[in-house]
Structures are given as C-alpha cells and as structure tokens.
Amino acid sequence: MKISKVYIGYMSPTGGVKKTARLLHAGFAAAGVNCGSFNCLTPAQRQLPPTFSADDVLILCFPVFAGRVPQCLTDWPELQGNGSHAFAAAVYGNRACEDAPREMLDFLKAHGFNIAGYAELVARHSLEPRLGAGRPNDQDEAYLHQLAADIVKEIESDDLTETITFKEMGPYKPYGSWVQPEKISPENCEHCHLCAKICPVHIIDADGSTAPELKSKCLGCMACVTHCRRHNRALPPAAAKATTEKMNKIYALNQEPKPNKAVFGSW
Ligand SMILES: Cc1cc2nc3c(=O)[nH]c(=O)nc-3n(C[C@H](O)[C@H](O)[C@H](O)COP(=O)(O)O)c2cc1C
C-alpha cells in the first residue's frame, strides 16, 4: 500500500509529547511523505479529528499517566479510522509505560484502525524534571527520524502479519488519582481563561475554579500549571509535599536513562 498522508495527533499538556511529535514529523517529511499534525489536548480539539481514508496513517502521540492512557483519549467517539493504519506513540517520563501501549492499541483497533505497531519514547517527566532530563535529546532525535522512516517502510511493505505480544495481558491497572492544582492568589489572576481553555477534561471555569463534584476528574497533567502566564496555579501545599516525596522515590529507582523502543505488527 502506498501511504497517502500521515497525520500526527498529539496530546501534550506540558510540551514533552509535542517535542516528540515534532521530531517524528520531521522524520516523515525527510522520508518524503505528505504529513500533517493535529492537537488533541482539549475536548474542542478532539471533537474534530481528521477524516481518515484507508491509505492514511495516524501516529497518535500521548503521555503515559500512571501506566495508563489519559482517560479523555479513550473516551473519544469522534476518532474513527475507517480502515486506515495507526501507530501508537506512548511518551513517558523514564519510569515505565506499563499498560498504556496495549490500552491504546485496544482503543485504536476498536475505532476502526489497522494497527501497525507502537513505540515507548522517553521525554522529561512532567512531575519530576530530573527524570528524563533533556529528553528527547540528539540521540532521540536520530532515533525518531529513523522510526518515521521505519513506520513508512513497514506499512508500505504490507507485511505486518506478526501479532504484537505483551508480557501483561490482564485487566489494565487502575487509574491514578490526583489532587487538582488550584489558583494560588485570586488577586494575581489576569482572567485570561487560558487554564479553562487548555484543560484536557474541561473542569476549570472561566474564573479558574472547579466545581467540587468535578475535582476528581482532574488528570493531574499540569497543563494549567505550565500554561498560566502568572505562575498562579499550583498543587495545594500538602499535595505538593506528597508528590515531591513520591517522585523522590521514583527518581531513586529510575535514574538510569531508558532506551526508546518500537514494535511493529498487527493487533
Ligand atoms: C499525572 C502524571 C502521571 C505520570 N505517570 C507516568 C508513568 O506512569 N510513567 C512514566 O514514565 N511517566 C509518567 N509521567 C510522565 C509523563 O508521561 C511524561 O512527562 C510526558 O512526557 C508528559 O507529556 P507532556 O510533557 O506533553 O505533558 C506522568 C506524568 C504525570 C503528570
């Protein structure tokens, strides 16, 4: 099959996934393939994904949260493959991807995509910058360029017959639970509504607050903290302390840089 167009979808609350997506995009361009990108961070952006034809390819780049796919991405009825190919790019903070790649392949298959494979790609950890510090780096860039070329080669060879296998095949691990970042000072808020606009699960009001019954839906993704121009959003002090303690332990166990990895096959 000759690829008509590669679409790179990316959900990037704090920018790491976007860097990876850009490097992949450059790789596809270098391979001479027609390539476009679309952002799928917010509910509004997810409402209008591209319309895929059988000779298109989706590369879905997403962050791993507690070994899972962010729930808003698998609650996405508008994304329909129509018999096109898909490759799942799980971006993670040098700890582990666990169930996230398998979960994404299950989702994409159920939405009409033919699976071409998946990758586990390291970026800076958005809760602990010492983890995956500086990644994607120059070596990652070379890897991602080659990965784009390999994806084209594998899909165009029409030879993705081998079934992908995972070590863990049981129920997915439970979702993580997170404390929502809050507005630090009402006086310092410039009411730009950016936090409300970029929240991937749409739980922040125009005034920067969240209804109590919606707080548990927070993904803990840090988009609102990262994007606030006034640095006026943060975890409440007790949650910040608990997160620092947890991340210190995770850092101690995962200091060694992990390699990127890609697997091709059907699912
Ligand atoms: C709530 C939360 C949970 C995370 N869980 C994991 C994890 O289980 N394993 C891992 O290696 N990285 C984990 N990370 C790190 C992100 O997957 C990683 O930093 C990713 O690049 C974030 O994408 P972004 O920079 O585009 O926001 C987590 C980050 C957050 C905010």
Side-chain angles (χ1 to χ4, degrees):
M1 177 203 110
K2 180 86 185 132
I3 294 173
S4 169
K5 183 162 180 176
V6 171
Y7 292 90
I8 302 185
Y10 61 94
M11 173 186 176
S12 188
T14 72
V17 173
K18 190 172 179 180
K19 275 188 195 154
T20 301
R22 279 199 177 143
L23 293 171
L24 279 170
H25 193 297
F28 285 111
V33 178
N34 181 17
C35 183
S37 297
F38 66 101
N39 194 337
C40 51
L41 179 66
T42 69
Q45 288 165 334
R46 288 192 298 275
Q47 236 161 44
L48 277 177
T51 304
F52 293 95
S53 312
D55 47 5
D56 292 331
V57 177
L58 167 66
I59 313 293
L60 192 50
C61 304
F62 61 98
V64 174
F65 288 167
R68 296 285 305 269
V69 177
Q71 201 170 357
C72 56
L73 286 187
T74 53
D75 181 13
W76 190 3
E78 292 84 3
L79 188 75
Q80 294 296 334
N82 306 318
S84 59
H85 279 85
F87 185 92
V91 180
Y92 73 113
N94 205 63
R95 187 187 71 80
C97 288
E98 294 168 301
D99 293 331
R102 176 166 60 100
E103 183 183 14
M104 182 52 90
L105 296 190
D106 285 343
F107 164 75
L108 291 168
K109 186 179 177 182
H111 283 243
F113 291 93
N114 292 312
I115 303 302
Y118 73 93
E120 298 184 352
L121 306 168
V122 180
R124 180 189 52 94
H125 199 298
S126 42
L127 294 176
E128 172 48 76
R130 289 173 299 172
L131 275 174
R135 300 194 63 188
N137 56 23
D138 289 352
Q139 248 179 304
D140 296 319
E141 179 170 352
Y143 181 91
L144 291 165
H145 280 203
Q146 185 59 47
L147 177 59
D150 290 346
I151 292 172
V152 173
K153 195 174 95 202
E154 291 283 344
I155 292 176
E156 293 199 336
S157 74
D158 291 319
D159 193 25
L160 291 161
T161 44
E162 202 154 316
T163 307
I164 295 167
T165 55
F166 289 97
K167 269 193 217 134
E168 297 293 334
M169 287 296 289
Y172 308 138
K173 59 181 293 207
Y175 284 116
S177 65
W178 318 104
V179 175
Q180 194 193 20
E182 294 173 343
K183 198 190 276 195
I184 298 169
S185 137
E187 305 79 54
N188 193 22
C189 177
E190 64 178 61
H191 303 286
C192 67
H193 313 315
L194 195 55
C195 54
K197 277 184 212 146
I198 50 91
C199 175
V201 288
H202 210 327
I203 57 170
I204 304 177
D205 295 342
D207 73 351
S209 59
T210 294
E213 69 275 15
L214 294 179
K215 281 183 183 279
S216 65
K217 289 189 182 298
C218 177
L219 298 174
C221 72
M222 300 292 136
C224 58
V225 173
T226 305
H227 286 83
C228 179
R229 290 192 286 255
R230 298 250 175 155
H231 307 292
N232 198 27
R233 290 188 73 90
L235 288 173
K241 187 166 175 278
T243 303
T244 302
E245 282 165 9
K246 185 176 164 189
M247 294 314 299
N248 279 340
K249 285 187 193 147
I250 292 179
Y251 175 64
L253 295 170
N254 295 280
Q255 293 184 36
E256 197 61 35
K258 302 233 160 88
N260 300 305
K261 160 185 169 176
V263 174
F264 291 98
S266 61
W267 182 246

